[in-house]
Amino acid sequence: NHPAFLTAQMCCCHADASSVVEQLRHGRVLEQQAAAARLASMARTKAQKDTGWMPCAVPLLVEAVNNGQTAELRENAARALANLPMCDAANTQIIIKAGGVTALVQLVGADFPYGCRAQACRALGNMCVSSQAAARQVRQAGAVQPLLRALFTEEHPASSGPNLVAEAALAVANFASVDVQCRDAVLQSTVAIPGLQHLSTSQDHGVRVAALRCLTTLAQSSERARQALRAAHVAEQAGDAELESVQYFDFTSSEVAHRRLGKGGG
């Protein structure tokens, strides 16, 4: 493409993004919901990386996660924060500086609706993938216990959104893969390995892959995790099951984990 055309296209994108950010800043609730959803979609596009709207939008998105008047606004804002690190890893530091880690950890809690919690898990998992500093912030913010509690969520509404249990497991896996301190923070919980071993036999392919990914990561530091992983593989072979590709939505952290698992990561 001609450089002049690309420059004009970027200016157009920036102008459009600026109006959406202003809608999030000053709009009514329904307008804010739509703006947050629009920013979440825009954040999935690499072409948006250099348009300049992201640093301005992040504090507003964090505020929406913290104090949004509706669950839909909180969920859309969390989805945008989850997509931003996938578009540009530098966005993770902007989210941290805006207080996003604490806001997302709170949103993982059981007091919030399923969709909000699933998107918050996605965001924390994606941030851990992109930045070791983010993983340390996640640990300091006390995210491990809420994420592990999310593993035992039974409710799974019929929707096309992410599976909360799978996203929680993958967020834990991404967090634990950073360093031994992060793995130890997970292994301190007495429910982590038994819970993951149980999930590794789930009928839901996404949950099963997520649990195996997490056990594979924890096995680097734990004999208990290695035993659980071996038992899970034996059970899988006995059932003649195979790890299959699972369809996820909106740059889920699951997508990153699948790529790693396919390469024999862990």
Side-chain angles (χ1 to χ4, degrees):
N1 290 331
H2 194 279
F5 173 79
L6 292 176
T7 300
Q9 189 178 44
M10 286 181 61
C11 290
C12 180
C13 290
H14 179 66
D16 179 54
S18 296
S19 66
V20 177
V21 172
E22 287 306 304
Q23 184 177 330
L24 180 60
R25 190 192 309 273
H26 297 300
R28 297 179 180 179
V29 174
L30 292 179
E31 294 171 331
Q32 290 179 327
Q33 287 177 184
R38 175 65 177 148
L39 292 175
S41 296
M42 292 167 66
R44 299 178 69 238
T45 307
K46 296 289 186 180
Q48 293 285 333
K49 177 178 176 179
D50 298 319
T51 56
W53 62 266
M54 296 177 185
C56 300
V58 166
L60 299 175
L61 292 167
V62 171
E63 172 63 21
V65 167
N66 267 325
N67 299 309
Q69 295 183 38
T70 66
E72 185 174 349
L73 175 54
R74 289 175 185 257
E75 180 177 344
N76 289 347
R79 180 160 63 92
L81 292 175
N83 290 347
L84 283 166
M86 303 295 290
C87 181
D88 184 357
N91 288 326
T92 297
Q93 293 305 314
I94 301 173
I95 295 171
I96 291 172
K97 290 179 181 178
V101 172
T102 300
L104 291 165
V105 170
Q106 292 175 347
L107 197 62
V108 173
D111 293 337
F112 292 98
Y114 185 98
C116 292
R117 299 175 69 198
Q119 295 293 352
C121 288
R122 282 190 56 231
L124 292 170
N126 287 350
M127 290 174 67
C128 288
V129 167
S130 66
S131 167
Q132 289 186 344
R136 289 192 291 270
Q137 289 283 334
V138 167
R139 185 175 72 238
Q140 293 169 4
V144 174
Q145 289 305 316
L147 287 171
L148 290 176
R149 283 194 292 269
L151 295 176
F152 300 95
T153 302
E154 295 183 2
E155 175 194 10
H156 186 196
S159 72
S160 61
N163 182 308
L164 170 58
V165 176
E167 291 299 335
L170 287 162
V172 173
N174 291 340
F175 167 77
S177 68
V178 172
D179 58 31
V180 66
Q181 287 80 16
C182 290
R183 285 193 290 278
D184 287 346
V186 176
L187 291 168
Q188 286 174 4
S189 169
T190 58
V191 302
I193 292 177
L196 290 164
Q197 185 172 3
H198 173 72
L199 293 175
S200 71
T201 62
S202 170
Q203 295 300 308
D204 185 294
H205 287 199
V207 171
R208 189 164 72 251
V209 168
L212 288 170
R213 165 65 179 148
C214 199
L215 284 172
T216 300
T217 301
L218 294 174
Q220 298 177 48
S221 297
S222 167
E223 177 58 29
R224 286 187 302 138
R226 288 191 286 273
Q227 292 174 355
L229 189 61
R230 285 194 292 269
H233 284 312
V234 168
E236 183 182 44
Q237 291 169 2
D240 195 27
E242 295 181 357
L243 289 179
E244 296 180 7
S245 176
V246 181
Q247 182 68 43
Y248 287 92
F249 299 84
D250 294 330
F251 276 109
T252 63
S253 55
S254 318
E255 182 178 351
V256 176
H258 262 105
R259 291 172 182 168
R260 290 185 174 181
L261 189 62
K263 295 177 181 178

